[in-house]
Amino acid sequence: MQKLVLLGGGYGNMRILLRLLPNFPSDVEITLVDRTPFHSLKTEFYALAAGTSTDKEIRVAFPENDRLNRVFGEITRIDREEKKVFLEDGQEVEYDDLVVGLGCEDKYHDVPGAEEFTYSIQTIAKSRTTFEKLCGLPPGSTVGIVGAGLSGIELASELRESRSDLKIKLFDRSPRILRDFPEKLSDYVKSWFEKHNVEVIAESNITCVEETRLYNHDQVIDVDAIVWTAGVQPVKIVRDMEAEKDNFGRPVITQYFHLPDDESIFVIGDCASSPLPPTAQLAEEQAERVVRVLRHRWNGENLPDVMPEIKLKGFMGSLGKKQGFVHLADTTVTGRIARLMKSGLLWMYKRQNDN
């Protein structure tokens, strides 16, 4: 019996299960390993942290299948020589093929105090903790959000909708919001923040963090809570893997998404080396190609000489529950329609993966 083991129940491995479970060889056994008994919609963690979505709304049940084993626990180590995965509770999971889709965690860029004194939205557990802190603040408190990428923007806007009484400061390293995208989009987001009294501090450089203070250049800013959304890195298990890594600590992979020196280990999602930005969309596209490779192997077929190039379609973002922005194929849509598009995509995703 061939053992296919999927580490992490994120977007990539959910796509693999969606494609494989209806029809895969009788001599293949699939095992999914995750710390929680459900798939979490990471793209919606900002809403959980802000208090505008419930925990239940951002969960999807894992598929059920007689030939799918589900193992729950904290993964501690991958042993490539023994071809085993070790869990914190002593469980050991053997594999013939392994798909590592364990995602990422916050990267603190060696800023003193950042890891100790900031809150996170990188996992559902950390997002719950952030919710408890933010929504428990007294009226008039100040929240600092470090990092004005998509996560920071959505968290700031959703928190404004949840807590109109809070002072929100969003720290952006760039001279303008979403600087790599059209000015029309930047101007729209900027004007939304101005209208809703969210202070965007451009060209910021956070050099030190204390429990209730941020140091931006030589300025000291008093805050009551700090959320870090200023970059990610692979989880520690992946960083500790014996594999060739890129400058961001992510394992280098071939066009078939396996390690160059080990065809039995695939790496996808946020923890895989890629020139493209780490998104749920990228993880799903990588998963589609891993499924193709596995099917070729199981059928005894040669792999294609060249795998199809991944081209991301664009991205969507929300500004509270009523406004949003979409950038697709060099076209920018803003406002209510954009927010409805994002809500529709989320509804379709949950329906597709619903059991």
Side-chain angles (χ1 to χ4, degrees):
M1 183 71 72
Q2 287 286 308
K3 295 180 173 63
L4 170 64
V5 176
L6 311 179
L7 299 187
Y11 291 97
N13 280 334
M14 281 293 283
R15 178 59 62 91
I16 289 176
L17 290 174
L18 182 68
R19 295 289 181 254
L20 288 183
L21 286 183
N23 181 26
F24 64 101
S26 58
D27 62 346
V28 173
E29 177 183 79
I30 302 178
T31 299
L32 172 68
V33 185
D34 196 86
R35 61 160 65 100
T36 62
F38 48 78
H39 166 54
S40 303
L41 303 177
K42 188 173 183 179
T43 58
E44 304 304 305
F45 283 176
Y46 69 91
L48 174 61
T52 55
S53 289
T54 65
D55 195 290
K56 185 178 180 181
E57 288 177 300
I58 61 170
R59 300 196 314 247
V60 174
F62 287 133
E64 293 186 5
N65 188 290
D66 292 340
R67 292 162 59 204
L68 171 65
N69 301 317
R70 294 179 293 179
V71 176
F72 303 120
E74 197 72 35
I75 302 164
T76 58
R77 184 166 61 92
I78 299 168
D79 191 315
R80 291 177 55 184
E81 290 189 4
E82 291 190 39
K83 303 194 83 167
K84 287 183 179 180
V85 176
F86 294 85
L87 276 66
E88 193 173 58
D89 61 4
Q91 293 184 83
E92 299 178 8
V93 181
E94 297 181 354
Y95 69 84
D96 294 300
D97 288 303
L98 183 71
V99 182
V100 181
L102 292 171
C104 59
E105 59 190 27
D106 291 300
K107 184 175 179 63
Y108 298 102
H109 308 286
D110 297 321
V111 175
E115 185 171 4
E116 294 84 357
F117 299 119
T118 66
Y119 289 83
S120 172
I121 57 171
Q122 282 302 319
T123 68
I124 192 168
K126 289 181 178 180
S127 298
R128 292 182 188 124
T129 301
T130 302
F131 159 73
E132 291 174 0
K133 177 64 178 180
L134 297 182
C135 292
L137 290 171
S141 297
T142 300
V143 176
I145 299 174
V146 181
L150 190 57
S151 295
I153 289 171
E154 292 190 305
L155 176 62
S157 60
E158 207 82 2
L159 184 61
R160 168 52 71 229
E161 187 160 295
S162 173
R163 293 287 306 270
S164 60
D165 58 293
L166 295 178
K167 299 172 185 175
I168 302 173
K169 297 179 182 291
L170 179 61
F171 294 86
D172 188 4
R173 287 184 64 93
S174 304
R176 68 176 173 92
I177 289 280
L178 300 173
R179 68 173 179 181
D180 295 329
F181 296 93
E183 281 198 45
K184 173 187 176 183
L185 183 52
S186 296
D187 292 342
Y188 173 75
V189 176
K190 179 184 177 182
S191 65
W192 192 96
F193 283 140
E194 290 174 347
K195 179 180 178 181
H196 293 85
N197 199 28
V198 174
E199 182 182 0
V200 178
I201 302 173
E203 298 184 280
S204 63
N205 181 30
I206 303 302
T207 57
C208 184
V209 177
E210 295 177 357
E211 189 170 6
T212 57
R213 285 193 183 93
L214 280 169
Y215 292 77
N216 180 33
H217 298 286
D218 58 355
Q219 182 184 15
V220 181
I221 301 171
D222 292 324
V223 292
D224 296 287
I226 307 161
V227 185
W228 192 269
T229 62
V232 295
Q233 62 184 340
V235 295
K236 189 175 186 303
I237 299 164
V238 174
R239 298 201 307 272
D240 290 344
M241 278 180 62
E242 295 182 4
E244 181 185 354
K245 310 280 179 45
D246 65 13
N247 293 333
F248 300 97
R250 303 174 301 188
V252 173
I253 51 177
T254 69
Q255 65 167 329
Y256 305 111
F257 300 96
H258 59 63
L259 299 181
D261 62 343
D262 192 338
E263 295 184 1
S264 68
I265 297 183
F266 299 86
V267 187
I268 60 175
D270 296 347
C271 55
S273 181
S274 173
L276 299 172
T279 61
Q281 184 185 162
L282 176 61
E284 291 178 335
E285 289 297 326
Q286 291 171 333
E288 293 282 1
R289 285 150 180 80
V290 170
V291 168
R292 182 174 177 181
V293 170
L294 290 172
R295 289 197 185 281
H296 277 297
R297 285 186 185 173
W298 293 339
N299 293 333
E301 301 167 349
N302 292 328
L303 297 180
D305 293 332
V306 179
M307 291 291 284
E309 179 184 359
I310 292 178
K311 294 182 179 179
L312 300 183
K313 299 177 179 66
F315 70 93
M316 298 180 173
S318 65
L319 293 170
K321 297 299 184 195
K322 297 180 180 179
Q323 301 293 316
F325 50 91
V326 173
H327 186 69
L328 297 172
D330 295 326
T331 299
T332 299
V333 180
T334 58
R336 181 65 172 167
I337 293 177
R339 188 64 178 90
L340 289 171
M341 290 171 68
K342 185 183 178 188
S343 297
L345 184 66
L346 179 63
W347 179 85
M348 287 176 60
Y349 179 86
K350 292 174 74 172
R351 185 171 184 269
Q352 172 182 258
N353 289 279
D354 192 14
N355 292 290

